[in-house]
Structures are given as C-alpha cells and as structure tokens.
Amino acid sequence: MNSREKQVIFGCLTTRLLVSLLFPSLQQQLDKAVEFSTPVTSFRSLQEGVFLLQNDLPVYNGGVVHHLPLLVALMSVVTKDSLISLLYAGIDAVIAYQLMLMSKQFSAQLKMPNWIPGALYAANPLVLLSCVSRSTVTFTNLAISTALLAALQGNVFLASVSIAVAGYLSFYASFLAIPMLFILKRGRLQSVITIIISLSLYLLASYKINNENWNFLRSTYGVVVTFSRLIPNLGLWWYFFIEMFEFFIPFFKAVFNIFAISFITPFSIRFYKQPFYAFILCLGWVTLTKPYPTLGDGGFFLSFVPFFQPLFVYLRYSIISILLFIHAIVLAPIFYHLWIDLGSGNSNFFYAISLVYALALASVVVDLCWSMLRIEYDNGNPKLDVQLTQL
Amino acid sequence: MWLTLTHGLIFLNLFKISVQLQNIDTNSFTDIENDYKYDSVESSLRYDDDRVNIGSQGYLKPIKNEVMSDLDNNKRVGLFSMEKPTKYPFKEHLELRPLPKNSLLSSFQFHLSSNEFSIDKSDRSNNQYSHYTVFPRSISPLMDNTNTRQVHLRFTHGIWDHENWGRLPHDGRKSGGSGVELWAVIEASDHNTAFDQWVKLSNMLSGLFCASINFIDSAKTTYPMSSFQPGDGEEIPLFNASNKLYLLRGALANEPVCTENMAPFIKLLPTKGRQGISTLLDGHKIFDSQWHSLSIDVTTVCESNSCHYEMEEFINVAINVPTTLARSVRPIPKPVDGSELRCDNSKHYDAWTCFPLPESIEGKYELSKIFGKYIMGSNSLSGYPTQTCVQVSDNWKALVKVDGSYFSTDNNCFDVKGEDWHDIYLETDDTTQVDPVKASPVYVTRSLTGYSQDKGGLRAVFKNPTSEPVELVYFESLPWYMNLYLSTLKIESKSGLKISDVIQSTYYLPAKDRERPTHLEYRMTIPANSTFALSYQFDKSLLKYAEYPPDANHGFEIESAVVTVISPVKYEFRTATLLLTLSTPDFSMPYNVIILTSTAMGFIFGTLFNMLVKRVVTVQEADKAMTATGLRGRFLVIKEKLVKMFKRPKPKSE
C-alpha cells in the first residue's frame, strides 16, 4: 500500500464519517429518498427487522422486512449508531482499496496511476450518498468487488464464497457468477461446487436463524422476483406492473426476469478473451435490469468505467451518456417531489425519469460493448481512421 | 290446551333481571295454530296516514285473552314481578336522555329470543318444523348455516361528543366505528373453515341489510386477541366438542349508513314498525341526527342440550333538538323571518342589524315533534308493556300524553298501555342542566401526520383525566397498503413517560399484501392525570391500476381504532376514522406505459443483440458485400440493365 492509496482510503473513510457527522438527519432523508432506498435495500426496513427479531415478533410473516436473515442477525449485533456509520464507511473504504488492487492487475494496459479508480470511487457522489443512506446495496457491492478481485488474483475459494454472498444478499447479483467463472483460469468446477455449497450453507443458516422456517424466501427473493412491492423506483418495472392488465402480469414477470438474465451468458462468451470486462458489462446489465435499482448500484457500476480507459477513444456518445445521467439524477428527485409531495405533477413525470435513467445506463453499456468490439477488431492498436460497421 | 309460547331466557339488561320462564311441554300443533292466529292478526293490522287508531279495530284483544288464559292454566312459576306473564319472548324499551348542548339521546332497545332447538344435528334435521314466533325468520338459518354462535353487527355514523356527552350509551357496547363493523364467533374445525363460514356469513348479512358487508375479505379480516372478547360469565356453546371457536372481525370504514340499512332492521322486529316504540323509527329523523348507531347482537345460549338464540337490536340516536324542531317547522331551509330573530337589544339593533342572543336555555318539546310520529300503542305481543323511560334531572318535567291528557310518574318511566297513541312531553327552564353524564375514563384521538403521498405517520393521543390509572386494550387494524414500521414507535410525553411504562404487551401481525391487514393490539396502562402521544411511521404502497376505487384521489378510509377499557370501569369506544391519500398512477396511461417501456427494452435488447451476433467490418467492405448480395446490389443490376435497354447507342462523335 503506497501513500497515495493510504490517502485515498483515508479520504474515503473521512468523507463518509464527516458527512454522517455534519448532517445527522441526512441519513434518514436519503433513506426515504426513492433514488437511494427501495423496499429491499432500505436501512429503515433493516432496522425494523432487527426490532422484530429482538422483540420476538414475526420478522418474515408479511410486513416490510425484505432483508436476508443473516444480514438482519448481523445488524442486530451492531446496534450502536456510530458503529454502524463506521461499518458502512469501512466497507466503502475496502471497496475503494479493492478497486485500486484491481487496477494494479491491469497496470500494463491502463495508462493511469493505480489509485485513480479508488479515488474516483471515493469521490463518486452517488456512492457517497448511498453509503451515507446506509443502503444494504453496500454489502452486496462489497461481496461483488471481493469476488471480482479474488477471481482476478486466482483465489478460487474466496471468489466463489464471495459471489455466493452477493447472490445471497441480492438475487440478481448471483447472475454474476457466470462471468466470474470465465475470469477464473482454473478450478472452474471446483468454483461451481463451492458456490453451490456456500449458498446452501447460507440459506440453511438463515433457515436455522429464522426459527426453522423457510418463509423468509418468500419475503426476500419472492418479493424481488415477482416484484410484488409496487413502490416507485428507478427501475423499469414498477410503473409497468401498475398499469399492466392483471391477466398479463405473470407473463410479463417472466419476460422481465428472462430479460434480466438474457445478456449474462452472451457477454461472457462473446468477450471470453477479456473476462474482466465481460464481468463489468454483466454488472452494468444487472444494474439496468434489476427490479429495485438505486443510484448506489449505478454509482458502483460507473466506478468500473475507468478500467475501460484504453477504450475511451472509441466511445461514440459519451457526451449523450453523461447528459442522460445528469438529466436523470437532477430531475428524479424534482419530479418525484412534484408528483408525491406537491401533487402538481403526476406519476408520468417520474416514470419518464426512470426511462431516461435506463437509457443512460444502456447507452454506457452499449458504448462500452461497441468499443470492446472495436478494440478486438483493431487488435489492441487503435486505428481511428478506419470506419467500421457491422454486418 | 298446552301451548309453548315462550322458552328460555330473555335478556333484560336494563332491569338486570335474568328471567327464566318455565319450559312448557311442546305441542307443536297448537303452537302452529297460535302462530297462524297471530299472523292473521298481524296482517290485518292497518297503518294509515290518517292515524286511525288501530286499537279501535279490536283484533288484538281476543287473542291476548286466550293466550293469557293458556298461560294461567299452566300455572307458571313467575320469576319476575310483573303483572302480566310473557306471551312472546319480546321486549321493547325506549330510553330518552337529554344531553348537554341541547341534544337528546334516544335509545330504542328490542330484546328477542328464539324457540328452543336441540344441539344435536340429527334431532334438528328430523324436526321438520322450524318455529319462528317473534324471532326473525332470516336470522336462524344464517346462524345455523355458518355455524355462528355469536354475531355482532354495527352501523354507526356521526360524531359522539365525548367531552360534553360523556360515555357512549350502554358503555359503548352497542356502537361501532364510523361505517359498518361486524364481528362474530364461529365454530369451526380449523382456521380456513372458520374463514369460509365468515365469508358466507358476511355475504348473507350483506344481502339482509343492504350493505357492502360482502367487501369484508381476508384483507379486512382480523382475529382479535384481547379486544371484542365476550363479556364476563358469558359462555359460548360448542355444538361439536372437537371444534374450536374463532373470533373474526372486519370493518368497513365510512360505509354510508342509510335508510336502506334501517328498513331491514325494523323488518326484523315482530312489530314491524307498526306498534310500540318502533313506530317512531323514521329514517328521515334517525339519519338526520348528529350521531346514530344501529346494532344487532345475536347470541346462542345453551342449557345442556337445548339452545336458543337471543337477539338484541338497539338503535341509539343523538339528535340536536333545536335543529330538528326547526326543520319540522321549515322543511326547506330558508332564512328566519325578521320578526322571529332573537336580537340582543342592548346592542345596536335596527331593521338591518341584529346581534343574535345566545340560544334560549328554555326548552319544551314533544317526542312526536322530534320523530314526526307517535308511539302507536303498546306492542301486543309480549306481556311486557312497551316502556319508555326518561332520564332527567329535577329541573325537567317529563310527562306522557295520552288522549290529550298528560300524566307523570315518580321515576319518569311510562308504560305504554293499550292501543292509544302515546307521546312524551319534556319541559325545562334550563336545558344546560341535565342528568349528570358519566365522564369517559380516557380520551383517545388518532390522526395522520406527514404530507407526502408515499409515507406518513400515525399519532394517537391518550389522555387520562381521572386520578386513577386506566387499563385498556388498544386495537388497530390497518390496510395492507400502509406498510408499518413498528420500530419507529415513539412516545411523546411531557412527564417523561417511556414506552415500557405504558405498553404492557404487544400483539403484532404484520400485513401481507392483498391478503391480510396489519393487526396491532396493545395492552396499555394510562397513568393517572397524564397525556401522551404514541406515533409510528409507515410507507404507502402503490396499488395496481384496477385496484383503485373510482375517485381514487378522494383517499382511502382507515377504520377506527378500538379502545377497550378494562379497569376501572368496563368501557369501549372507537377513535374517528382516517382518510389516507395514496399516490395514484395516471389512469389513462396503460397502453402508453406498455408501449414506452417495451420500446425502451426492445431498443436496448436489439442494439446489444446486433452487436454481439454481427461481424465487425469496415464501411467499404460492407458496401461491397451489400452490392454483391444484398437487395441493393440486385437493384443496381436491374437498374443497369434497364438503362442499357432504353439508352440508344450514341453515334460516335467525331
């Protein structure tokens, strides 16, 4: 760890703790903001779960708790407010450090100092606010980045166990196991077995913790997969299912779920020579298609974009992507406020923003995908004067 | 001749006397005969607007005498001190009570009981005859078919002024929350059967009372744990020892209560609104009141193997006297004539200016002016005369008016006798002085907090003005689209009370979307002379497009919380209902949303799919390939041929 890295980690820790300390009500404000909190990731419902657990009340028999039992059990141990702040800030610092370690792996290709991705992550306002809001997305992100780093370093066991944690915490993150297997150069079978065993172990432990009751599956994965909590968020699904005719809803639930998994394997296969980048594209795809996305997910995905630095020359509509992101991030709270609080706008305002956000993410994924194809065609040496098309 | 006219117990709550009538051997033939006679009398009774005294027709007397003599022959052992023995298990009673602020509480009370039947199913099916004397025919099948042992139905509307009027009539046992409230004790082998019976019961009641009770589905049904419990010493029989009893409860907040609900109420009475105090029940007057509550309680009472149903039908009305009297004078609201204005002459006063005097504290009115009708004689069905009691303080005069002459009694209770029309006359020099009301032991008000349509809070203020602690059960059933965060429960109190000081135990069953409501019951102790507020937060969820009712922006009614005071007195009351506004989607958008979302998804999918499956080539290569194979290439070839065909070879220019 060089001094730059130390500075980045220190900066990451202090900004988060400082923001929590200076604006004590910010956590609750953000936790209520639709951009940073969804029913499945909000800290409020996590606290509710802890409360119910501690008072021997049913945690998963209906109600608002959609967090996994192990997470609720973990948070019931960490109850002190300052400790929770420290925990979240610490996790973010670890992720920043892992990003820097990853960039070390690619230092030959990347024409930038290793600490840049970590610094960008630490400075990313979306990640910062998501961390301050104590969204449980942070835990999933840690599991994903640990798995990715371990896979890059060839640590099969740690990678498998971590991706299983990610999949356990957030159903759609389990898709990332496929591109991760492509990153591993050996021990793929071993990895698959480890993932399955560790995932079953987590579920079994949850079952034990939850008074030997499987009902948590319905309130956690069930809610995510069937999208039964119709609460506005940045995803594509919520308004669709509110407006959809009852008869077609099961069909479209299947369509959306297939849509979410559709590009995972194709990306992994098409870019099998660059499995790390395939992983990031898959991460982008999951961020785009998962039913309860937050800006924390988006920020985490965008933190990986610096790794595409050699391809930046190929990006065709980076300006449009940036503008779309700014458009969505600035207008989302305004339009939501207009609709929900003031009543002077209606639901279409916020729906339009969720479409814009989806397009912003999609434009990034599409652009990165194109530049991947381009660099492949150019064999690693950008020839910018050649005009390419597809046939 | 042996007759079975009355069996079992009659509920006489007001006299606090339980009356056990001697069970007489059954002779079904004469019983039917007697029923028949009764029916013929009943059908020949006439009610007309000319107010012909029905007594003059003299139909009732012979029957009455005959029945009486039959009973006398049996040498019944009378367990109560009344001049005449009961003929039919029916009793009616009207209680009037002037309330502060010039209101009048009228409490119509009807007690009925059914014939005995056997618990044994086989006995009942063998018995081909089902006898209904005064007990309404529609109720017994309803109880039998659904295995219901107790059913309680309330239609309530209006505001009961707790601060001024004190406790609710009958200690709140006979009034529900605003709208319709239903709870029942159902005997069933398991939970699901009980629920099925409950749905059946609510559907039957819905048809019977012309109300939307059938909308009580699983998302509105709760299984109360410590509220709505049967009274002390009240035993609910089990017909089959292997079954269990289930208490189910549902409410429809702010269901409009209206004449069409009261007409079936009156029809259930044997007097059908044509005799006795039920003649006063006029929908226009009842529903024009400040507060009214219609209640029906049917209970099963068993002694060893033989049982009967008991029914109490109460109608309580709090009427504002001056407005009601004014309306009878001026049915169409018009400005009062200048000469009738009561002006304060000590202030400036002319044809244009009038400072009104406070309302006169003198009051005199007749019941017929309030209800627009008279008590048309005593009911001729039971030996208990129709009784009317007025509960007033000494500065009031209460008189009964029969045939133009006024009578008074010591206890202000008047028996309505014979077929004469009766009227009650009340007079006082000071309407503010009434028989002192019993103050409510505790006050609870509940309100919604927050302004946004995606989240909010509930805040209940508990106030105990008395000098002894009050123990109570606070029951709340909230719809599933309010996602409650119990961890946000907070207490606000000036005296620094903590949650553990007031809440002894909690029962909490969180809501399941579209399946069941949040069910919350607190057993609490409110310390003496204290006020505190409990509050918690909730999220509002969006509903599906078709789940919104018409006029979705009006909001959703949240049923009242039920407060059951256990000590120092038994008392029960409800908070007001709440109006919750949910965010709504744009109802004109379904196609647009489907199209726009699908387009975005299709666009993203198509672009990526093309990228992944297509070959990357240079533009020049692509053009060439297109020329060779594509449609454009063929078109070029054809074009070339055509050009050749029509183009004359040019003469070579030299």
Side-chain angles (χ1 to χ4, degrees), chain B residues 269-402:
Chain B
L269 298 172
T271 49
K272 313 266 186 223
R274 295 169 186 194
Q275 263 194 322
I277 54 169
S278 64
T279 52
L280 292 177
L281 294 171
D282 177 4
H284 290 101
K285 304 293 177 184
I286 300 287
F287 296 111
D288 204 15
S289 57
Q290 287 165 302
W291 177 86
H292 49 260
S293 176
L294 285 61
S295 78
I296 279 197
D297 302 81
V298 187
T299 51
T300 314
V301 179
C302 285
E303 243 174 80
S304 68
N305 219 14
S306 89
C307 300
H308 69 274
Y309 296 126
E310 274 176 14
M311 182 163 123
E312 291 183 317
E313 199 177 315
F314 282 30
I315 295 174
N316 290 303
V317 204
I319 288 174
N320 185 275
V321 175
T323 32
T324 311
L325 293 178
R327 190 155 298 180
S328 63
V329 177
R330 289 183 305 276
I332 301 164
K334 275 188 288 191
V336 181
D337 197 58
S339 57
E340 286 175 37
L341 282 177
R342 290 161 34 83
C343 295
D344 189 349
N345 292 342
S346 65
K347 292 186 177 152
H348 177 66
Y349 165 60
D350 60 24
W352 310 103
T353 320
C354 170
F355 288 93
L357 282 171
E359 238 175 79
S360 161
I361 55 166
E362 274 177 34
K364 55 178 162 188
Y365 48 86
E366 283 165 355
L367 208 56
S368 56
K369 291 279 186 299
I370 302 275
F371 287 104
K373 291 179 176 177
Y374 293 91
I375 302 172
M376 297 187 177
S378 176
N379 81 84
S380 48
L381 301 163
S382 74
Y384 305 107
T386 301
Q387 201 181 37
T388 310
C389 283
V390 188
Q391 211 179 332
V392 285
S393 54
D394 290 340
N395 61 326
W396 286 73
K397 234 195 293 178
L399 304 168
V400 64
K401 183 179 162 192
V402 191

Side-chain angles (χ1 to χ4, degrees), chain B residues 443-462:
Chain B
Y443 300 102
V444 182
T445 50
R446 191 178 60 154
S447 51
L448 285 170
T449 58
Y451 57 90
S452 76
Q453 291 187 340
D454 59 345
K455 44 189 68 74
L458 266 179
R459 189 166 184 272
V461 180
F462 295 79

Side-chain angles (χ1 to χ4, degrees), chain B residues 180-186 191 194-195 198-199 215-229 245-252 474-480 507-512 515-521 559-562 574:
Chain B
V180 178
E181 198 172 326
L182 170 73
W183 67 99
V185 178
I186 290 175
H191 206 277
F195 180 73
W198 165 253
V199 170
F215 281 87
I216 297 179
D217 52 5
S218 71
K220 288 205 169 75
T221 304
T222 46
Y223 300 83
M225 302 302 282
S226 18
S227 307
F228 300 99
Q229 300 302 313
L245 290 170
Y246 292 88
L247 173 63
L248 296 96
R249 185 251 178 201
L252 297 168
Y474 182 75
F475 170 96
E476 206 161 38
S477 159
L478 301 168
W480 60 264
Y507 175 81
Y508 175 56
L509 190 65
K512 260 188 192 162
E515 271 179 44
R516 70 165 187 235
T518 302
H519 175 188
L520 197 56
E521 272 179 77
E559 61 187 75
S560 27
V562 183
R574 272 88 169 153

Side-chain angles (χ1 to χ4, degrees), chain A residues 24-284:
Chain A
S25 66
L26 187 66
Q27 189 270 322
Q28 286 183 5
Q29 289 300 319
L30 287 173
D31 197 24
K32 286 174 184 169
V34 73
E35 296 83 15
F36 289 101
S37 132
T38 63
V40 296
T41 62
S42 84
F43 185 66
R44 265 208 307 170
S45 64
L46 186 61
Q47 274 183 317
E48 174 79 3
V50 171
F51 175 84
L52 294 177
L53 190 71
Q54 285 173 345
N55 287 283
D56 281 332
L57 291 166
V59 183
Y60 293 104
N61 192 356
V64 291
V65 185
H66 307 295
H67 298 287
L68 270 301
L70 289 181
L71 189 60
V72 175
L74 169 76
M75 292 313 286
S76 65
V77 178
V78 190
T79 46
K80 227 175 146 198
D81 200 59
S82 53
L83 269 182
I84 296 173
S85 289
L86 200 65
L87 175 71
Y88 275 89
I91 288 174
D92 247 17
V94 170
I95 296 175
Y97 180 58
Q98 285 173 335
L99 282 170
M100 291 187 282
L101 289 181
M102 278 179 224
S103 84
K104 259 184 201 165
Q105 298 270 328
F106 294 95
S107 49
Q109 301 166 30
L110 300 174
K111 295 177 190 70
M112 61 179 182
N114 293 333
W115 54 270
I116 291 281
L120 285 176
Y121 179 83
N124 188 337
L126 301 183
V127 177
L128 170 66
L129 292 178
S130 175
C131 177
V132 171
S133 82
R134 297 179 181 172
S135 161
T136 58
V137 166
T138 315
F139 294 100
T140 318
N141 290 350
L142 174 69
I144 293 173
S145 72
T146 309
L148 186 56
L149 180 66
L152 285 173
Q153 291 171 339
N155 190 341
V156 176
F157 179 75
L158 183 60
S160 314
V161 168
S162 312
I163 205 74
V165 170
Y168 171 77
L169 290 176
S170 159
F171 176 75
Y172 289 90
S174 62
F175 296 170
L176 294 175
I178 297 168
M180 195 204 76
L181 287 177
F182 280 85
I183 298 177
L184 295 172
K185 299 204 170 47
R186 53 179 179 78
R188 284 183 187 153
L189 184 68
Q190 187 195 339
S191 168
V192 171
I193 294 167
T194 318
I195 290 172
I196 291 171
I197 290 175
S198 45
L199 199 55
S200 354
L201 274 179
Y202 304 149
L203 291 176
L204 214 64
S206 315
Y207 168 75
K208 285 280 176 204
I209 284 181
N210 191 32
N211 295 328
E212 310 221 333
N213 197 335
W214 287 112
N215 64 4
F216 72 91
L217 289 177
R218 190 185 138 165
S219 347
T220 53
Y221 302 126
V223 162
V224 175
V225 171
T226 63
F227 204 81
S228 42
R229 265 287 139 87
L230 293 172
I231 285 178
N233 59 64
L234 287 170
L236 280 171
W237 297 28
W238 65 276
Y239 206 41
F240 193 84
F241 285 128
I242 286 171
E243 298 275 6
M244 178 50 75
F245 309 105
E246 188 78 37
F247 181 76
F248 293 112
I249 286 179
F251 170 72
F252 276 102
K253 276 177 182 168
V255 168
F256 274 101
N257 278 305
I258 294 168
F259 186 64
I261 201 169
S262 60
F263 273 105
I264 303 296
T265 321
F267 276 142
S268 310
I269 294 172
R270 182 68 182 80
F271 303 115
Y272 75 97
K273 285 179 187 162
Q274 298 285 352
F276 173 73
Y277 291 94
F279 187 97
I280 294 168
L281 286 179
C282 290
L283 181 65

Side-chain angles (χ1 to χ4, degrees), chain B residues 633-644:
Chain B
R634 283 201 196 138
F635 178 70
L636 283 175
V637 170
I638 293 170
K639 190 181 159 193
E640 220 164 279
K641 276 183 186 170
L642 283 174
V643 168
K644 267 184 190 169

